[in-house]
Amino acid sequence: MSFLEKKFSWLSVIIFSAVAVLVFFSITSWIHCDDNISETANNKYSCNYDIKRLSGLKYIKPIMFVDDECESDDMQDIKLQIVEIVNRYKNFEGVTSASIYLRQFSTNEWMCVNETDKFEPGSLFKVPVLMSILKMCEENPSFINKRISYNNLIDDGKNVAYKSKSIQLGQSYTVKELLTYMIKYSDNQATILLESNMKSEVLQKLFTDLGLEAPNIYATQYFFTTTQYSLFIRAIYNACYLSINDSEFAAKLLSECNFKDGIVSGLPKGTPIIHKFGESGNQVEMQLHESAIIYAYNKPFLLTIMTKGKDNKTLAKLIKEVSNKVYTEMANK
């Protein structure tokens, strides 16, 4: 073999070796990079999902809710801002407790401030009553037009601060009319008439179907966290418990709620909203709550606020401020 041939032979070996080394490091880097992508994906989706299904049917189990067990990382900034508002009201305004639940429907992201705090719902309980009555109407369509006479004033023992229109003694009303009084005007007398014609087992099944403890119909008190109560509003929005038509009807009634001192007052005028408020407590510690779906920029979100404190005006002011802050932040997302 000539010197020139040997030179080219060694040169081929060197080139082949260099290419082999480059290929090796390229493959190693690619594998390492792929491992990092997988790890990031695993970290991102490390939280479990809780799938709630409707039971009691023979062949199917419809999905009601699909919930990420972890709060949204993207909502931590707004959560910190809400915590600052709540702490300010606790330190300087006589508020003793406040819990706020927020859920963005388009992304299913959520967060909650003081998630374990419990409250007496007051008139918020009228939404489960509404859903139970409509469920009874699905089983017996004529029930919605049943007329019920209002002949005796019933003392419910409640001293409410926010009074509105009420049914009149000596008159009779259809179930549909009573539902309007109960939700639009938060009328306690209409609620009592409806409850006296409501099957308690339908109400109890509603609670257990949503994964909540069945209420004792003889109990004078019942307690919710904001997360628990939000299930009723979510069930209406998702149309996962009532029929689509009845869910739409329930939402329409909630859109007519005439309480304007809380969440509504923190929103731009004319913002579409469905909502229900409730007040409870006593002279020592009052409670004011509101739960709403706000239809902002085609990105509806659920906001439930429950509060305790010395006076309703301060609690309403807190609800307004939180509402305004959430709306501003959600509009900019």
Side-chain angles (χ1 to χ4, degrees):
M1 182 181 291
S2 67
F3 173 77
L4 188 61
E5 289 173 331
K6 288 182 178 179
K7 182 178 179 181
F8 276 106
S9 178
W10 280 106
L11 184 61
S12 298
V13 171
I14 292 171
I15 292 173
F16 177 79
S17 300
V19 170
V21 169
L22 286 172
V23 171
F24 173 77
F25 278 108
S26 296
I27 292 174
T28 303
S29 298
W30 180 83
I31 291 173
H32 181 66
C33 180
D34 189 62
D35 284 345
N36 285 341
I37 292 173
S38 298
E39 183 178 344
T40 302
N42 287 335
N43 286 340
K44 183 177 180 180
Y45 298 104
S46 60
C47 285
N48 294 324
Y49 280 90
D50 178 26
I51 300 177
K52 216 178 242 92
R53 292 180 177 271
L54 183 63
S55 60
L57 300 168
K58 188 172 182 180
Y59 297 111
I60 61 173
K61 282 193 174 183
I63 293 176
M64 300 182 71
F65 310 110
V66 179
D67 291 332
D68 192 330
E69 291 182 350
C70 298
E71 289 188 343
S72 167
D73 291 337
D74 293 339
M75 287 186 172
Q76 292 311 298
D77 182 58
I78 188 173
K79 180 174 182 176
L80 289 175
Q81 294 181 61
I82 293 173
V83 168
E84 289 179 0
I85 294 172
V86 170
N87 287 340
R88 172 160 45 85
Y89 274 80
K90 283 183 176 180
N91 293 332
F92 303 108
E93 301 282 354
V95 171
T96 55
S97 178
S99 177
I100 295 90
Y101 177 87
L102 173 64
R103 176 174 290 272
Q104 175 80 60
F105 284 113
S106 61
T107 62
N108 213 32
E109 296 176 292
W110 68 277
M111 73 85 196
C112 191
V113 174
N114 298 324
E115 186 176 5
T116 60
D117 288 4
K118 292 188 174 184
F119 304 82
E120 293 181 65
S123 287
L124 285 184
F125 204 88
K126 290 169 182 171
V127 173
V129 173
L130 166 67
M131 295 176 70
S132 298
I133 293 293
L134 290 178
K135 180 60 75 173
M136 290 174 60
C137 292
E138 290 180 2
E139 297 171 358
N140 178 14
S142 65
F143 183 64
I144 194 76
N145 296 315
K146 177 182 177 180
R147 298 199 72 86
I148 302 173
S149 296
Y150 178 44
N151 297 320
N152 298 298
L153 178 66
I154 303 171
D155 183 9
D156 57 9
K158 296 178 181 178
N159 183 23
V160 297
Y162 298 97
K163 294 181 180 179
S164 187
K165 192 174 178 181
S166 180
I167 56 176
Q168 300 300 305
L169 276 172
Q171 302 296 316
S172 66
Y173 300 86
T174 66
V175 168
K176 187 175 183 179
E177 290 171 333
L178 292 173
L179 290 174
T180 300
Y181 273 92
M182 179 178 71
I183 298 300
K184 184 174 182 178
Y185 307 115
S186 202
D187 181 20
N188 288 336
Q189 294 299 308
T191 305
I192 292 171
L193 286 186
L194 287 169
E195 288 178 336
S196 65
N197 286 269
M198 180 181 67
K199 297 177 181 177
S200 60
E201 60 268 23
V202 176
L203 177 72
Q204 290 174 319
K205 188 175 187 303
L206 166 63
F207 274 68
T208 56
D209 282 342
L210 295 185
L212 301 172
E213 181 182 348
N216 179 352
I217 60 172
Y218 301 107
T220 57
Q221 292 177 310
Y222 195 84
F223 298 92
F224 290 103
T225 66
T226 51
T227 302
Q228 290 172 334
Y229 184 79
S230 295
L231 291 172
F232 297 104
I233 306 297
R234 292 174 63 193
I236 291 173
Y237 181 81
N238 291 343
C240 61
Y241 194 76
L242 300 171
S243 70
I244 290 177
N245 287 339
D246 282 340
S247 296
E248 181 73 3
F249 174 69
K252 182 179 182 298
L253 284 182
L254 291 167
S255 74
E256 297 171 355
C257 174
N258 69 348
F259 179 71
K260 309 298 182 186
D261 291 353
I263 289 177
V264 172
S265 63
L267 304 175
K269 188 176 181 179
T271 302
I273 180 175
I274 69 171
H275 61 124
K276 186 70 188 79
F277 83 102
E279 55 177 307
S280 58
N282 50 53
Q283 295 301 317
V284 177
E285 184 179 68
M286 299 180 180
Q287 298 188 36
L288 185 64
H289 322 305
E290 194 166 6
S291 187
I293 295 176
I294 301 158
Y295 298 83
Y297 301 97
N298 294 318
K299 296 184 293 186
F301 61 88
L302 168 61
L303 179 63
T304 299
I305 306 171
M306 293 184 165
T307 63
K308 298 177 185 178
K310 293 181 179 179
D311 70 272
N312 279 325
K313 288 185 177 180
T314 299
L315 298 179
K317 189 171 72 169
L318 168 58
I319 292 172
K320 174 184 177 180
E321 189 169 342
V322 171
S323 168
N324 181 261
K325 174 60 67 176
V326 169
Y327 179 89
T328 302
E329 293 297 318
M330 296 299 285
N332 293 329
K333 277 178 65 90

